[in-house]
Amino acid sequence: TIYYINLTIRILFWLTGFWFLFKIPFCSNIYKKEKESKDFSFSDLKLSVIIPARNEEKILPLLFDSLKRQTVSPYEIILVNDQSSDGTAQVAKNYGAKLINIENIPEGWLGKPWACHNGALNSSGNILLFLDADTKLHHDGLEKLLFCYLHYNGVISVQPYHRIKKLYENFASFFNLVLMGSMNVFTPRQFKVKPIGAFGPCLLCDRKSYLEIGGHESAKGEVLEDLEIGKKFIKHGNDVYCFGGKGTIDFRMYPDGVLSLVNGFAKGFIIGAKSTSIVNLFLVIFWIAGSFYPVTLLIGLIFDYSLIDLLIGISFYIAYVVQTRWMLSRIGSFSIITSLFFPVFIIFFILIFFWSLIAAIFKINIKWKDRHVSNNHINRKKK
């Protein structure tokens, strides 16, 4: 009896994955489905694209090239140069963007919120689009984003589709998966519940609403300013809609090596875990715990062989391979290796989580973008 109860629990753990990442809405799909039945005009929308950037000389041309090819032209493009030591500013000049150079960061501010704040202050459009420097829009990406904005009449938050070029970048797979699953809005309930915040790489809102919540000044000291900004919008009564970026906007995270990937995720891991709903947090934990069941079962066969356990172990392993492949294919171009050898990538995910936890407890500063991210920001009491 205990054996079958244990087996039933493991099946339920596997099924939790179909709950927290049940369905991801895409702006591209909504645009394709609704554009013929909707008569929207973009003529009254003056779109200010704001790009905070620090040492992004190598990747910025991809974003600027994509902005030049849009079916809907932005009103203005603003690049905020956050004390870069490379040619970031020159790239902006070459593409004719409005350039704002930041020289000093005031006490209590972090770099990205300060850059976004200055970009918004120097913008003149009635619609603001904050884009990370490592993003790249599809040729009709702006049109799809604006369509969703008019269709839903709210804040549009998009997690870009993760494009993979090097093998090590696949180690970002389960971070992306858990990030999406933790937002609380990709379950079967979808837009019936509020997200825990917003995605930072692509955030679209109207100027009036942005100013009413205090803009990025309201999240000036937050490592994950996107979550805080999203919370402020929701608290103020604005609807925040979260989407997947497939077909609309892509990005390539951490192309500078494994260390940049480790530090990039570690700097805000604990804050992200604290921010998610307790239900979704436990669902993610159960799903990850269940993923080790087939591995431990198969390893145990070395010491006590059982044909039934062998078949169960293989079945569970295949089930997780298929499930992770289904999940990851919607959020990035991750290699099938990440699914076939999912335990390796999950272990990496867990190790970074514990490193982030240790860094938070012992106030170890994590280096990011040639700056040390103080764990005072991670440990301080949330308001």
Side-chain angles (χ1 to χ4, degrees), residues 114-341:
W114 179 240
C116 291
H117 174 72
N118 278 273
L121 287 180
N122 286 275
S123 66
S124 54
N126 59 356
I127 304 295
L128 306 179
L129 174 61
F130 297 93
L131 290 178
D132 278 4
D134 58 1
T135 57
K136 178 184 176 183
L137 289 154
H138 289 227
H139 76 284
D140 54 357
L142 290 183
E143 185 174 352
K144 290 172 181 175
L145 290 171
L146 291 173
F147 183 89
C148 280
Y149 167 77
L150 292 173
H151 180 71
Y152 288 101
N153 191 29
V155 178
I156 303 300
S157 167
V158 183
Q159 179 69 358
Y161 186 77
H162 193 161
R163 290 290 177 187
I164 302 298
K165 289 191 175 181
K166 295 183 178 179
L167 184 62
Y168 79 86
E169 293 175 44
N170 285 287
F171 280 100
S173 54
F174 284 88
F175 296 93
N176 280 261
L177 189 154
V178 172
L179 169 65
M180 297 285 281
S182 299
M183 286 302 287
N184 201 39
V185 289
F186 300 128
T187 70
R189 299 180 68 191
Q190 286 229 317
F191 294 147
K192 295 178 182 178
V193 295
K194 299 182 187 301
I196 65 169
F199 295 123
C202 178
L203 183 65
L204 179 72
C205 61
D206 66 274
R207 173 183 290 277
K208 182 175 180 292
S209 298
Y210 176 80
L211 295 177
E212 285 176 347
I213 67 164
H216 277 82
E217 187 172 6
S218 66
K220 63 182 181 180
E222 300 293 336
V223 176
L224 299 180
E225 84 295 330
D226 47 352
L227 290 181
E228 191 63 25
I229 285 286
K231 290 177 183 176
K232 289 292 192 301
F233 274 122
I234 294 167
K235 187 177 180 179
H236 200 268
N238 300 103
D239 292 324
V240 176
Y241 297 94
C242 297
F243 299 91
K246 189 174 184 179
T248 300
I249 183 170
D250 305 334
F251 67 178
R252 184 185 173 203
M253 299 181 75
Y254 314 125
D256 297 324
V258 177
L259 184 60
S260 67
L261 185 151
V262 171
N263 289 339
F265 284 114
K267 64 183 172 70
F269 211 148
I270 301 304
I271 297 174
K274 288 179 179 178
S275 299
T276 192
S277 71
I278 192 69
V279 174
N280 262 34
L281 180 61
F282 275 107
L283 288 175
V284 171
I285 291 172
F286 291 155
W287 182 78
I288 290 175
S291 70
F292 287 102
Y293 176 62
V295 180
T296 56
L297 197 63
L298 292 172
I299 291 175
L301 294 176
I302 298 174
F303 308 99
D304 185 17
Y305 178 78
S306 166
L307 179 60
I308 293 177
D309 284 346
L310 175 63
L311 294 175
I312 291 174
I314 292 174
S315 298
F316 264 97
Y317 197 94
I318 293 173
Y320 267 95
V321 168
V322 172
Q323 187 185 51
T324 55
R325 186 61 183 167
W326 168 73
M327 288 175 163
L328 293 173
S329 65
R330 295 177 295 160
I331 62 178
S333 60
F334 297 102
S335 169
I336 194 172
I337 292 174
T338 57
S339 300
L340 292 175
F341 300 98

